[in-house]
Amino acid sequence: MELEALYQENNADPNPEGGNISDEDNDDEKIYNPLKLPLAWDGKPIPYWLYKLHGLGVEFPCEICGNFVYMGRRAFDKHFNEHRHTYGLRCLGITNTTLFREITKIDEAQRLWEKLEGDKKKKKQANETVEEMEDQQGNVMPRKVYEDLQKQGLL
């Protein structure tokens, strides 16, 4: 009987007089949102002008993140530092993620990575093929520097 009494008290009208109900008591009402705008911190839709100002109607898809769509430029810019994007790059074999900002396509990322790796190999080969010369004091230097110093009469 006590449980029934408590249940009836909880389901009772909070304002039995039928007067105006304040906003605090009326939180359960359905919010009118025909444009499907995002909700603000207070649970109400944000103003349309703010929605347009922040560009929240613009979609930014990212293929690297598994075709995830980011709404608005701010969310899109922030996602490059998030785990989902860096994990996607690591799955492709890309370790340096800072160079891949604004790249959202898998094939673009792979082409850029191959180009960067090729440039590294070329530099390494160029450094290995440098002919070194030694002066009379035992200093080792590249052939070009040695010849320049010799022409200037410093050796």
Side-chain angles (χ1 to χ4, degrees):
M1 289 173 43
E2 290 177 7
L3 288 174
E4 288 179 23
L6 283 173
Y7 183 70
Q8 289 175 355
E9 286 177 14
N10 288 340
N11 287 337
D13 188 16
N15 195 359
E17 291 85 33
N20 291 339
I21 299 175
S22 67
D23 283 342
E24 295 172 4
D25 296 335
N26 200 9
D27 285 341
D28 295 336
E29 265 189 40
K30 187 167 173 79
I31 298 173
Y32 182 69
N33 190 3
L35 298 176
K36 307 286 189 235
L37 297 173
L39 301 178
W41 60 271
D42 59 354
K44 296 179 183 173
I46 64 171
Y48 185 70
W49 65 269
L50 191 61
Y51 175 80
K52 294 297 273 183
L53 178 71
H54 289 295
L56 297 177
V58 181
E59 295 180 349
F60 294 94
C62 182
E63 201 175 282
I64 293 172
C65 297
N67 291 326
F68 196 81
V69 176
Y70 296 93
M71 298 302 288
R73 186 70 190 184
R74 183 176 179 203
F76 179 69
D77 288 340
K78 285 174 60 176
H79 104 276
F80 289 109
N81 296 329
E82 292 176 354
H83 178 71
R84 178 183 284 147
H85 192 79
T86 55
Y87 178 74
L89 288 172
R90 276 189 275 131
C91 289
L92 294 173
I94 299 170
T95 55
N96 188 358
T97 60
T98 57
L99 299 174
F100 291 84
R101 288 192 77 79
E102 299 293 325
I103 294 180
T104 59
K105 304 279 186 208
I106 292 174
D107 60 336
E108 290 177 6
Q110 288 175 337
R111 278 187 281 150
L112 179 60
W113 183 250
E114 289 170 4
K115 183 181 177 195
L116 291 173
E117 289 296 311
D119 291 346
K120 283 183 185 178
K121 288 179 183 176
K122 287 179 185 177
K123 283 184 181 179
K124 187 175 181 181
Q125 289 175 354
N127 288 339
E128 290 175 356
T129 59
V130 171
E131 189 176 345
E132 295 179 344
M133 302 292 286
E134 184 175 351
D135 64 359
Q136 295 169 349
Q137 297 171 349
N139 298 324
V140 178
M141 60 195 81
R143 181 181 189 95
K144 183 177 180 185
V145 173
Y146 180 80
E147 289 174 352
D148 288 343
L149 291 174
Q150 198 171 26
K151 286 178 186 175
Q152 294 174 6
L154 298 173
L155 291 180

